[in-house]
Amino acid sequence: MRTIKILDTTLRDGEQTPGVSFTPEEKLKIAISLDEFGVDVIEAGSAITSPGEQESIRRIANEGLRAEISSYSRILKSDIDVTMKCDVDSIFLVTPTSRLHIKYKLGTTQGELLEKTLDCIDYCKDHGLIVDLCAEDGTRTEPEFLLRLMKEATEHKIDRYTIADTVGTAIPERIHEIFSILGKEAKIPLGVHCHDDLGMATANTVVAVNAGVSMVNVTVNGIGERAGNAPLEEVIMALKEGYGYNFRIKTEEILKLSKMVEKLCRIPVAPNKAIVGGNAFTHEAGIHVDGILKRSETYEAIKPESVGARRRFVLGKHVGTKSVRKMLEDDGIKANEQELREILKHIKYMGDKGKRVTNVDLQAIANSVRGVKIKRAIELDELVAVAGNKFTPIASVKLKIKDREVMESSTGTGPVDAAIKAIEHATRDLPFELTEYHVDSISGGTDAVVQVMVELKSKDRVITAQGAGTDIILASVNALVNGINLITGK
Ligand code: MN
């Protein structure tokens, strides 16, 4: 099968997500990760935007990355001049082609537009740029005009021709029609740029590839204007798993990349998001867990390891005995059939009340059902946390660790961070790592009960624990202490 190339536009279209703005350092960090990941082209920004943007693009272009570095530009010589000052390899030269855009946005004609576009292409080529000509709103343009533009632009030596579904209005049949027509005549590689306004971005991108496109435009987590762009993770895995296309990238790094972008753009990935969502490989239902334990393909589309993710089993009202037994065994608890049924009853009861059931809850349930009393290895004795506008947040804790008193303090970015760090310092000899921290406000208002969920990792084992209350610092510390007791208690 063909090898498909990736143009990642997380740093340009992705940054046009409402509310998202990366610092130059963040942009460079993302660019380096994309390069290590193996994307072919990094669209680093739109040079004309601001001096800061130009600086960002220039730094990325001069970082010595393997990927081709590109900048977005309109068909204006002033834009192109600024782009060239950023030391990029290529230009993503955007020309609006639909009658709607030509008439109402530019107030010009097809003929004039064509002339201006070819003129700009010549200007870019004279200055040694690789030119990726993009037909903006291309999917709402007559194929005859797209074809004419492609033929003439090819004579003017463009390097790639990309059709953009700028407003996300295309359906797969339309995409297929356009690329079938262009594909027959194309002497240069074709690209596709899709948006998700109708939830079709991935499907349209895949259809375009099947019709001959060799360069897909994507963003990490599908961020982008309005409903976003075609998500990198979905496009790659759909093309690879569904059709057998090849990529020069490490799919095992997908989740890491997704998490990094999620953190830097401060837009949480929805739990039910394909490939990278928190629930993408999480199973609760008893029937599913039973099937997966026998053979993972029964209820998993792809192997979690193939994108660097991990399979998780969670507890709730849909669980069955087999998964509970497995989770108890992971905690070193061997319950008999009768105990198991009793434990399951408790879990379902909590689930029916709408409660989440963590590993710590499971252990507590199992212990009470089996009449086992376990002395907790770690207890919180004292906690003080101070924050304000004039000094660095600081917290100190006194813990009883196996009857020994340990005191520690730490500063942090806020009182919660300081308190968590103080606990981590006090328990530094214990083999665990805090891998996730999440807060939910259960009721509204400043006196709301918050629920803190933490995930801890120790070797291959991952467990969840929670703490709740109206005091977010105490709830956080309790969640962590509960988790440490479980993960280091065995
Ligand atoms: Mn776009």
Side-chain angles (χ1 to χ4, degrees):
M1 282 300 257
R2 282 187 291 145
T3 297
I4 305 302
K5 290 189 171 177
I6 301 166
L7 179 149
D8 183 280
T9 182
T10 304
L11 298 177
R12 199 275 298 171
D13 224 337
E15 206 192 16
Q16 286 172 224
T17 304
V20 171
S21 176
F22 299 120
T23 65
E25 288 71 32
E26 289 170 341
K27 280 201 149 195
L28 184 63
K29 204 173 149 191
I30 294 173
I32 292 170
S33 297
L34 288 169
D35 191 59
E36 284 169 357
F37 178 66
V39 306
D40 300 275
V41 183
I42 297 172
E43 195 184 348
S46 171
I48 198 72
T49 308
S50 68
E53 181 85 343
Q54 288 150 34
E55 185 52 37
S56 289
I57 298 171
R58 199 174 299 121
R59 276 173 70 178
I60 293 167
N62 289 312
E63 186 64 20
L65 302 179
R66 184 203 42 79
E68 175 187 313
I69 308 301
S70 172
S71 168
Y72 176 100
S73 171
R74 292 172 296 180
I75 43 163
L76 292 170
K77 286 204 177 143
S78 49
D79 268 30
I80 299 169
D81 283 336
V82 174
T83 302
M84 284 189 300
K85 288 202 187 98
C86 296
D87 308 333
V88 291
D89 305 304
S90 66
I91 187 162
F92 193 72
L93 188 64
V94 178
T95 185
T97 51
S98 66
R99 287 190 185 273
L100 191 69
H101 277 231
I102 291 175
K103 188 170 168 203
Y104 294 101
K105 194 172 89 171
L106 301 181
T108 182
T109 61
Q110 281 188 343
E112 270 175 31
L113 179 94
L114 197 61
E115 198 179 314
K116 198 173 168 195
T117 304
L118 296 176
D119 198 31
C120 283
I121 294 169
D122 289 343
Y123 190 63
C124 293
K125 291 311 293 182
D126 286 347
H127 289 87
L129 285 171
I130 296 171
V131 177
D132 187 337
L133 181 68
C134 175
E136 185 183 17
D137 206 23
T139 51
R140 289 194 292 188
T141 305
E142 317 86 291
E144 302 70 40
F145 186 61
L146 291 177
L147 194 61
R148 183 173 161 209
L149 176 63
M150 179 180 79
K151 283 183 177 167
E152 301 209 14
T154 303
E155 278 169 27
H156 288 252
K157 303 278 184 291
I158 56 164
D159 300 87
R160 286 192 296 273
Y161 186 47
T162 297
I163 304 299
D165 184 30
T166 306
V167 191
T169 51
I171 53 172
E173 286 77 6
R174 172 75 177 160
I175 296 282
H176 183 80
E177 182 201 355
I178 290 172
F179 285 105
S180 299
I181 293 168
L182 296 179
K184 281 196 199 87
E185 312 271 346
K187 295 192 171 65
I188 46 163
L190 296 176
V192 70
H193 179 108
C194 293
H195 279 269
D196 210 30
D197 299 72
L198 295 177
M200 289 288 180
T202 301
N204 283 342
T205 305
V206 166
V207 168
V209 168
N210 282 336
V213 160
S214 60
M215 174 81 76
V216 292
N217 289 195
V218 292
T219 61
V220 179
N221 299 338
I223 62 170
E225 284 185 300
R226 306 181 313 275
N229 288 59
L232 168 141
E233 59 280 2
E234 290 180 15
V235 167
I236 291 176
M237 294 315 286
L239 286 170
K240 207 172 148 72
E241 297 283 329
Y243 297 90
Y245 287 105
N246 294 314
F247 290 91
R248 272 188 296 271
I249 49 107
K250 303 176 202 148
T251 58
E252 300 78 18
E253 302 281 316
I254 284 179
L255 190 64
K256 208 172 100 191
L257 192 63
S258 160
K259 292 261 180 217
M260 186 183 87
V261 171
E262 177 185 33
K263 205 172 156 192
L264 293 179
C265 71
R266 295 165 201 95
I267 294 182
V269 170
N272 61 338
K273 169 83 183 62
I275 316 291
V276 294
N279 289 348
F281 302 101
T282 301
H283 311 278
E284 179 185 309
I287 301 161
H288 290 206
V289 173
D290 180 43
I292 281 171
L293 291 173
K294 287 170 181 153
R295 209 178 156 93
S296 67
E297 298 94 304
T298 51
Y299 288 100
E300 274 175 359
I302 57 171
K303 291 207 178 311
E305 311 83 76
S306 68
V307 292
R310 211 175 44 222
R311 177 178 305 130
R312 285 196 311 167
F313 296 128
V314 296
L315 296 163
K317 68 175 181 184
H318 304 103
V319 290
T321 32
K322 291 212 170 87
S323 48
V324 172
R325 181 185 286 127
K326 178 169 188 316
M327 288 174 91
L328 286 170
E329 279 171 8
D330 288 347
D331 286 343
I333 299 170
K334 281 211 156 55
N336 64 34
E337 286 305 317
Q338 198 198 334
E339 288 167 347
L340 206 56
R341 273 199 299 278
E342 195 62 24
I343 292 167
L344 198 66
K345 219 165 84 188
H346 276 77
I347 294 170
K348 286 181 183 274
Y349 178 79
M350 281 179 80
D352 277 337
K353 296 267 170 230
K355 293 212 175 72
R356 286 201 270 180
V357 187
T358 65
N359 296 95
V360 171
D361 298 325
L362 174 65
Q363 196 199 38
I365 292 168
N367 287 342
S368 92
V369 166
R370 302 170 73 230
V372 178
K373 256 200 136 35
I374 287 187
K375 195 168 172 341
R376 279 156 61 99
I378 300 166
E379 288 291 352
L380 175 70
D381 201 5
E382 281 173 23
L383 164 71
V384 182
V386 195
N389 63 341
K390 296 282 183 194
F391 48 89
T392 311
I394 184 162
S396 68
V397 294
K398 192 157 100 185
L399 296 179
K400 270 211 182 72
I401 305 179
K402 289 173 186 145
D403 295 324
R404 201 164 46 88
E405 231 169 55
V406 182
M407 283 184 74
E408 275 291 350
S409 62
S410 174
T411 55
T413 56
V416 171
D417 185 48
I420 295 290
K421 286 205 171 102
I423 302 265
E424 286 177 328
H425 291 168
T427 56
R428 66 168 72 85
D429 296 335
L430 301 174
F432 76 90
E433 189 193 335
L434 177 63
T435 46
E436 248 180 81
Y437 171 91
H438 181 84
V439 186
D440 279 319
S441 169
I442 295 171
S443 48
T446 51
D447 60 347
V449 171
V450 297
Q451 186 173 41
V452 176
M453 295 281 290
V454 294
E455 189 187 272
L456 304 182
K457 194 177 167 205
S458 175
K459 290 188 201 100
D460 287 345
R461 196 155 163 247
V462 178
I463 62 115
T464 48
Q466 60 186 325
T470 50
D471 180 338
I472 189 171
I473 305 167
L474 196 55
S476 304
V477 165
N478 280 336
L480 181 59
V481 170
N482 289 342
I484 299 172
N485 268 303
L486 178 63
I487 202 156
T488 63
K490 200 162 59 163

